[in-house]
Amino acid sequence: MKKLLLLAAAAAGAVIAKKKIDESKAEQALWAEATDAVKRS
């Protein structure tokens, strides 16, 4: 039973970490777009 609980906690932690990483990447991309150098023709 303890192993199952530990496995569930590890899985939940991995899901939360993945969400944080994805949010960070999205915010990084937004800032990169917002601060991108203006291209002149």
Side-chain angles (χ1 to χ4, degrees):
M1 185 67 180
K2 287 183 182 180
K3 287 183 182 180
L4 185 60
L5 213 56
L6 183 62
L7 182 63
V15 169
I16 291 170
K18 173 137 178 42
K19 284 184 181 181
K20 293 276 187 186
I21 290 170
D22 289 345
E23 288 173 5
S24 177
K25 284 183 181 178
E27 188 170 346
Q28 185 72 23
L30 183 63
W31 275 107
E33 183 180 342
T35 60
D36 200 11
V38 177
K39 296 178 183 175
R40 296 182 184 174
S41 302

